[in-house]
Amino acid sequence: MIQLKHILSLSVTALLLAATSAVAGQLSVQVLDNQGQALPGAAVWLTGQGLADDAEVLKRSYKMGQKNRAFTPHLLIVPKQAQVSFPNYDSILHHVYSFSPAKTFEFKLYRDQPQALTFAATGAVELGCNIHDWMLGYILVVDSTHFAVTDAQGKAQISLPAGQLNNVELKVWHEGFVDLDKPQSERLSVVKAGEQLNVQLRQALGMFQDDFSDEFDDYE
């Protein structure tokens, strides 16, 4: 009887592991610019009626910090209705603001008390600092929980549920777009986890600001 219970326990464990592995997978996306070069720092996400929300993504704690006089991460993707906090990891003051239509706000000089906001509208939110003019960052609010940012090789992994998805859209965004509120869209008739997609931009990228800092700071 003991051996039978042990066998049954192992069988149940194996079934649970198999079920877990079948629940989700990843879609690999390679993004190229209009010259065919790998494009890092591009946001990619999927939308579609048959694409269920990922509950874990909705519950995540999202942060747009300031560290070494720069926004970190430079690009943060969040689902609509997400709350984002703005911790200051520097020993100096920051004054964070945005004039973007998707979210206009201002956090005046602060250092020790993290500020937080809920982002209820989709779109690109461009961030700046009134003290450090070179600081630039982005919060991209999307109507999806299946998103990622491309790495230095222009590659990203989007988590997906198991099975085949029909009639979904792959959207691509980059800070070099002329219109930051118009991502590129690609209609996909069929997509499933484990596949590799290659996407090339149809537009040239404009100039986007390099990261640099000033030697002097009046708010040490």
Side-chain angles (χ1 to χ4, degrees):
M1 181 64 71
I2 295 177
Q3 289 182 343
L4 179 57
K5 286 183 177 179
H6 182 63
I7 292 171
L8 288 173
S9 176
L10 289 175
S11 298
V12 171
T13 301
L15 287 172
L16 287 174
L17 288 174
T20 301
S21 63
V23 167
Q26 290 187 325
L27 174 69
S28 299
V29 180
Q30 168 84 66
V31 179
L32 307 174
D33 64 19
N34 70 321
Q35 300 297 315
Q37 301 299 310
L39 184 63
V44 292
W45 68 99
L46 288 171
T47 62
Q49 291 185 348
L51 189 58
D53 285 339
D54 186 330
E56 292 300 318
V57 174
L58 294 174
K59 292 188 294 184
R60 283 178 189 167
S61 176
Y62 293 95
K63 295 181 180 181
M64 173 58 82
Q66 303 102 60
K67 187 175 182 180
N68 297 327
R69 290 183 255 189
F71 286 107
T72 178
H74 179 67
L75 169 61
L76 174 67
I77 312 179
V78 301
K80 188 170 64 174
Q81 298 296 342
Q83 185 177 78
V84 180
S85 62
F86 293 77
N88 182 359
Y89 300 115
D90 286 332
S91 60
I92 58 177
L93 297 172
H94 288 296
H95 186 145
V96 178
Y97 71 91
S98 174
F99 297 134
S100 301
K103 192 71 174 180
T104 300
F105 68 94
E106 179 182 23
F107 291 146
K108 296 185 177 181
L109 297 174
Y110 74 99
R111 177 165 49 205
D112 299 325
Q113 296 296 323
Q115 308 291 313
L117 283 174
T118 298
F119 288 78
T122 59
V125 180
E126 188 172 4
L127 307 174
C129 176
N130 269 331
I131 303 173
H132 311 101
D133 292 340
W134 64 85
M135 286 178 61
L136 183 65
Y138 297 91
I139 296 175
L140 186 63
V141 187
V142 298
D143 193 11
S144 174
T145 58
H146 304 276
F147 49 75
V149 178
T150 58
D151 60 17
Q153 289 72 47
K155 296 180 179 180
Q157 304 289 329
I158 302 177
S159 295
L160 286 184
Q164 179 175 293
L165 298 172
N166 299 315
N167 299 319
V168 297
E169 272 191 295
L170 173 68
K171 297 188 177 182
V172 184
W173 179 96
H174 193 270
E175 64 181 279
F177 282 2
V178 175
D179 189 339
L180 293 179
D181 289 321
K182 288 188 177 180
Q184 178 171 313
S185 295
E186 305 289 340
R187 176 67 65 177
L188 305 174
S189 57
V190 177
V191 67
K192 58 184 177 181
E195 289 186 335
Q196 165 92 40
L197 294 180
N198 296 316
V199 181
Q200 186 166 1
L201 296 186
R202 295 187 289 270
Q203 61 177 290
L205 296 176
M207 297 295 292
F208 45 97
Q209 185 171 334
D210 292 330
D211 183 25
F212 65 94
S213 61
D214 199 336
E215 294 179 1
F216 305 101
D217 198 307
D218 294 332
Y219 294 89
E220 294 288 354

